[in-house]
Amino acid sequence: MSLFAIGALALASVSFPAPTRAQMSPIERPVDMAAGFNFNKFAEKSNVPEFHVSLVSGPTSMAFDPRGRLFVSTLAGRILILLDNDDDGRADQVKVYATQIPSLLGITFRSNGDLYATSSLNNGTGRILRLPDRNQDDVPDSIDVVIDGLPSEGNHQTARLRFGPDGLLYFGQGSSTDRGTPNPGRPGERPLNASIIRIDVDNPQFEVVATGLRNPFGIAFHPENGELFSTDAGSGEICQFGNCGEDLSPPEEINWIRPAGNYGFPLCEGNPTANPNCLTVSAPIHTFLRHLTPTSVTFYTGPQAGEFRNLMLVTLLKKISGVGGDLRLVHLEGDPEQGFRVTQADLPIARFNALDPFDGPIDTVIDPLSGDIYVARLDIAPHADSTIHHNYIYRIYRQGANLLPFIGPLRPSSVRAGSGALALKIMGRRLKAGAVVLVDGQAVPTRQGETVFDLVADLPASATATERTLSIEVRNPDGTLSNRQTLSVTKTGEEEPGPKTPQLTSMFVFKKKVTKVINPVRTKPNANKFRLAVTGADFEQGAQLLVNGTPLELVSSSATELIGRFGTTMLSTPGELTVQVRNPSGRVSNILRLTVTP
């Protein structure tokens, strides 16, 4: 079952009659929730009119930025920031971060705060884009093409993307065809189609990780073992009316992605048989009923996960014969050595009753602070009333959790013993005015941070005098306690809360924008148009990028990346240049060497 078709991006090839009056009703039937879970509409027509402008204005992908804000991409090519300034669980402000990005199907954040997105141009060329905002003004500093020329002109496009534990960017690339044979005048399968690909965004070269995946729209990494899992929507059209005949379409899949694995499309979808062509095909770890169209996979983490911690959450887009349109808990067991298996996959947290053909859940993301689950619902069916579009974002939470404060990881998360008094920064949800921070159960002086989501706790020197682990909680004025986080006080020399030594790991040269890496670097009479990008760790604010000891003028900077402009004569003669980073403390990194050839 195709997820998106090229051009109009309509859900593909399901036969259904003209919508009836009942199907066009603007009154939504309730969402059925599992026991112990509640929901509310975080975004709907009344507070996010953007979703209800046209057939292609609905949400496609979601991601939380390092500041705890929800970013949402839309079919209309816009990236929105949906803010909940009063912390009541509903968006109350919409900011437009970017526009006019065609076929925008996936967004994700890198650990340094840069936003990445997938896009497909009208000519069918797929791209990976970087949209950094390092001055935090909610406008991209630039829109850089990291990888171009991906095959997205067929039945499926360049879709979701995620950074892996290795720091590389992984994304799904759909097939060009439904079953392997192109329609007249349409493209056939090519080496990059029906695959999962990874790239080093600092040195844009790609590697095909796995093949035989018709439409790997949802991908996710296990939060503990780092293994990659993917959904895959199977081939074949669904016929619901008339003389349909036998449906031989394969089931839908969840796959454990192994390096160089082949997952069967187009000859061996579903559970491989004794067919000689399928002997080397990796079987899925679970299959769903055909045509349900799995659209996302993530893992249940955060303070509300409880007994479901690290279980899969999978959305099934379509509702067929009372099945699907679900957010499901999928019990995954095993390990990378022995393999993985699914023991149960029929436990819906939420059933989204069908409002129209093709309407259903499209993506899932978890608030890293509260653990609330956000589910985007997409509706691209044409309506008799053109003002009706069932596009929503639901917020799902455990019963009672709406009354509790939650806190995320601490900043810093560890300090060196004997380092003195500490201003501990805490970001959270539902932190009421007058909330205090508790250290091992004892209240410490607490200040309001920059927003209602931030607190600063002033820890005395005695709290960090000796090696220990401190328990950190927040108590609201009504006495409710948050979840716990821990602050590690380490041995002297084990952790450095003060000046750090920067570490360099990689570098590359490019011209103005990262559309083409310069390799090898040849002599240039005037190097002003060329940039040097370095990546690493512990780059402090005010760090300098040095070439042969001379600081470059910086174009951008973060804790893990610096980009500088070469001086006019720096590349004028062949030779070897030394590259280092120097922090304001005076500490200097290791040396990388850049060769300039004639």
Side-chain angles (χ1 to χ4, degrees):
M1 175 63 200
S2 297
L3 186 63
F4 289 102
I6 192 66
L9 288 181
L11 288 176
S13 59
V14 174
S15 301
F16 61 94
T20 66
R21 184 178 300 275
Q23 287 172 329
M24 291 296 98
S25 170
I27 301 174
E28 181 179 358
R29 293 175 294 177
V31 175
D32 298 324
M33 301 300 301
F37 288 88
N38 289 326
F39 84 99
N40 69 272
K41 288 180 183 176
F42 179 79
E44 57 180 321
K45 186 174 184 177
S46 62
N47 61 343
V48 186
E50 181 89 17
F51 285 173
H52 302 271
V53 173
S54 70
L55 290 180
V56 294
S57 60
T60 56
S61 184
M62 301 179 290
F64 278 94
D65 75 350
R67 298 157 64 186
R69 306 180 307 164
L70 183 63
F71 281 60
V72 181
S73 65
T74 74
L75 277 179
R78 296 162 78 87
I79 299 176
L80 311 176
I81 311 174
L82 303 189
L83 302 176
D84 178 14
N85 294 302
D86 59 6
D87 202 16
D88 69 347
R90 277 179 57 84
D92 51 35
Q93 183 182 3
V94 180
K95 292 186 176 184
V96 178
Y97 183 72
T99 62
Q100 298 181 334
I101 303 176
S103 299
L104 182 57
L105 298 183
I107 57 174
T108 195
F109 282 94
R110 194 181 185 185
S111 59
N112 70 350
D114 287 351
L115 179 65
Y116 286 76
T118 58
S119 172
S120 295
L121 302 180
N122 291 334
N123 64 5
T125 298
R127 290 176 162 182
I128 304 294
L129 304 175
R130 175 172 47 233
L131 301 92
D133 177 23
R134 292 167 185 165
N135 61 0
Q136 297 189 348
D137 63 352
D138 294 335
V139 177
D141 304 329
S142 59
I143 299 180
D144 307 319
V145 178
V146 180
I147 286 289
D148 204 353
L150 298 166
S152 290
E153 77 275 37
N155 279 21
H156 306 106
Q157 286 72 52
T158 308
R160 297 274 166 70
L161 68 175
R162 296 285 184 270
F163 279 95
D166 54 8
L168 302 180
L169 183 62
Y170 292 69
F171 62 92
Q173 179 65 56
S175 65
S176 279
T177 68
D178 175 32
R179 296 179 182 268
T181 302
N183 293 327
R186 302 301 299 158
E189 303 298 340
R190 288 173 289 173
L192 296 185
N193 281 120
S195 66
I196 290 178
I197 301 169
R198 68 181 177 189
I199 60 173
D200 178 353
V201 296
D202 297 319
N203 183 22
Q205 298 179 11
F206 62 82
E207 175 188 1
V208 175
V209 176
T211 59
L213 295 154
R214 177 178 174 272
N215 194 10
F217 203 72
I219 60 174
F221 290 91
H222 193 284
E224 290 187 345
N225 56 50
E227 293 296 304
L228 177 60
F229 296 84
S230 171
T231 61
D232 193 15
S235 61
E237 301 178 5
I238 181 173
C239 175
Q240 301 185 70
F241 307 96
N243 184 14
C244 296
E246 183 180 5
D247 191 345
L248 300 178
S249 300
E252 315 285 47
E253 301 177 0
I254 299 176
N255 290 288
W256 172 33
I257 303 301
R258 307 297 297 142
N262 175 11
Y263 294 86
F265 176 81
L267 300 176
C268 307
E269 290 183 271
N271 290 310
T273 66
N275 183 333
N277 293 322
C278 301
L279 295 179
T280 60
V281 170
S282 298
I285 60 173
H286 184 72
T287 59
F288 293 109
L289 180 70
R290 59 176 66 96
H291 307 305
L292 291 183
T293 312
T295 49
S296 72
V297 59
T298 189
F299 286 90
Y300 200 0
T301 57
Q304 296 182 45
E307 70 275 25
F308 303 128
R309 183 169 303 279
N310 294 338
L311 296 188
M312 278 184 175
L313 295 173
V314 176
T315 51
L316 300 174
L317 177 79
K318 304 193 66 59
K319 200 169 189 70
I320 301 171
S321 301
V323 179
D326 301 334
L327 171 67
R328 290 196 186 181
L329 276 170
V330 176
H331 288 252
L332 180 70
E333 295 184 357
D335 57 61
E337 296 299 324
Q338 302 299 320
F340 293 93
R341 62 190 179 279
V342 169
T343 59
Q344 195 172 16
D346 56 357
L347 299 174
I349 290 180
R351 290 188 182 279
F352 303 102
N353 295 311
L355 302 178
D356 294 290
F358 303 147
D359 153 78
I362 193 72
D363 195 20
T364 304
V365 69
I366 296 175
D367 185 332
L369 301 178
S370 70
D372 292 342
I373 304 169
Y374 287 75
V375 179
R377 180 174 189 156
L378 176 67
D379 172 20
I380 59 170
H383 296 269
D385 183 344
S386 62
T387 66
I388 297 175
H389 305 287
H390 298 120
N391 297 310
Y392 306 112
I393 294 178
Y394 301 99
R395 182 180 69 98
I396 297 173
Y397 53 93
R398 302 295 290 268
Q399 197 163 23
N402 222 25
L403 303 175
L404 301 175
F406 292 101
I407 59 174
L410 309 175
R411 296 172 291 171
S413 60
S414 63
V415 294
R416 186 178 59 189
S419 56
L422 173 68
L424 183 66
K425 297 181 180 180
I426 299 170
M427 183 181 293
R429 297 281 191 241
R430 297 187 275 283
L431 307 177
K432 305 301 183 183
V436 296
V437 174
L438 307 181
V439 178
D440 285 347
Q442 300 298 311
V444 298
T446 304
R447 296 176 276 134
Q448 183 66 51
E450 296 178 0
T451 72
V452 297
F453 304 103
D454 301 297
L455 294 175
V456 179
D458 293 312
L459 276 62
S462 58
T464 61
T466 59
E467 179 187 3
R468 58 195 296 203
T469 298
L470 301 176
S471 174
I472 308 297
E473 298 171 283
V474 169
R475 183 178 64 207
N476 272 342
D478 61 4
T480 55
L481 291 175
S482 73
N483 57 307
R484 293 182 180 179
Q485 298 285 358
T486 58
L487 175 67
S488 297
V489 184
T490 63
K491 294 180 181 179
T492 301
E494 184 175 321
E495 194 72 24
E496 292 184 288
K500 295 183 177 181
T501 301
Q503 297 294 319
L504 278 177
T505 56
S506 67
M507 66 179 176
F508 64 95
V509 176
F510 63 97
K511 189 175 181 180
K512 285 192 174 180
K513 293 187 177 181
V514 189
T515 54
K516 183 179 180 181
V517 174
I518 308 299
N519 188 19
V521 178
R522 302 189 183 278
T523 55
K524 311 290 180 184
N526 187 335
N528 278 338
K529 295 181 179 180
F530 293 86
R531 311 289 185 260
L532 174 65
V534 300
T535 61
D538 296 329
F539 302 162
E540 296 178 346
Q541 186 173 4
Q544 295 176 313
L545 177 55
L546 309 178
V547 173
N548 284 353
T550 300
L552 301 189
E553 178 187 348
L554 291 184
V555 175
S556 68
S557 63
S558 73
T560 58
E561 180 186 72
L562 299 177
I563 299 177
R565 180 183 289 108
F566 280 105
T568 304
T569 61
M570 281 186 170
L571 302 179
S572 60
T573 58
E576 190 174 72
L577 305 178
T578 61
V579 177
Q580 292 176 284
V581 169
R582 181 170 61 204
N583 278 342
S585 64
R587 299 197 177 194
V588 181
S589 74
N590 55 306
I591 294 175
L592 296 181
R593 300 185 184 278
L594 177 66
T595 300
V596 181
T597 61

